[in-house]
Amino acid sequence: MAIEVRPATVFADVATLVGPKNPASNVCFCLSYRIPSKENQTLRGDERAERVRALCAEDPPPGVIAYDGDEPVGWAAVHPRADTHFGTFRKIPHIDDLEVWSLWCFRVRPGHRKKGVMHALVDGAVDFARERGAPAIEGYPVDNDGAKVDLTMAYVGTRRLFEQAGFEKAADTTSVLSGFPRVLMRLDLR
C-alpha cells in the first residue's frame, strides 16, 4: 500500500472519512475543535456539511487526507492553533507566544488500520504545516503508556505515535480522555 497525503480540499473525501452516518446528525465532521463551540452546537444536518464544504475551499483547508491510490483512507485535522478551539481551551496550556499549528484528530477507515496510515498522516500534517510557514506544530494525544485505548477515543493519537514522528513532550495538560491524561507534544519546524 503506497500512501499519499494531500490537503483536504475535496469535500466528498472528507465526508467519507469524518461525515456522520446519519446526514441529519449534529455530530462529527471534525468541527468541535475547529470552529467556535457556540457555532458547533447550533449547526445541524446539512448545515454541518455545508460548513465543512466551505472549510475545504479555504486556504488552508481543514486538514489532510491519506489516499491509497484514489481511495481516501485516513484523515488528520491540522490548522493554526489560534483559529481553533485550542486557542482558548484552558485545559491545554499555551507554553509560549509562538504561532503554532495544532494537529488534533485522526481517523483511519476500517480495513486500512495497522498499515502505517496514522504515521503517514502525522508526517503529512507536519509537511502541510511546514509548507505554510508554521514555526512549530503541536498535538494533544493521550499518554496511555502502551495500554489499549478505546477506538472511539483514539482520535487524538497516542504519545508514542507523536514521539515516533519526532515530537517531544512540551507540557502536561489537565485534559483527560478515556481515563488517560493528555500531554502537549511539540515539533519545532524552524
Side-chain angles (χ1 to χ4, degrees), residues 85-167:
H85 182 59
F86 296 110
T88 58
F89 193 49
R90 293 182 202 161
K91 292 184 175 192
I92 296 180
H94 291 248
I95 57 174
D96 54 35
D97 291 332
L98 207 58
E99 294 182 10
V100 301
W101 282 46
S102 294
L103 171 58
W104 71 90
C105 179
F106 299 93
R107 169 88 164 71
V108 176
R109 289 175 70 191
H112 301 278
R113 295 180 182 140
K114 299 195 184 291
K115 296 181 179 179
V117 175
M118 290 282 281
H119 297 281
L121 284 165
V122 173
D123 293 344
V126 167
D127 291 344
F128 178 78
R130 181 183 285 121
E131 289 164 3
R132 284 156 182 79
I137 186 169
E138 294 179 345
Y140 320 107
V142 293
D143 192 355
N144 62 324
D145 197 27
K148 187 166 176 61
V149 179
D150 179 300
L151 271 181
T152 307
M153 295 296 138
Y155 72 93
V156 298
T158 63
R159 178 177 177 168
R160 184 168 185 255
L161 170 73
F162 280 85
E163 285 175 339
Q164 289 173 334
F167 286 68

Side-chain angles (χ1 to χ4, degrees), residues 63-83:
V64 294
I65 295 176
Y67 290 88
D68 181 6
D70 291 329
E71 182 182 8
V73 297
W75 156 265
V78 57
H79 203 75
R81 179 176 173 156
D83 295 337

Side-chain angles (χ1 to χ4, degrees), residues 18 27-35 48 52 75 77 104-105:
V18 294
V27 296
C28 211
F29 261 126
C30 204
L31 288 174
S32 61
Y33 291 112
R34 177 59 185 87
I35 62 176
R48 294 182 75 72
V52 173
W75 156 265
W104 71 90
C105 179

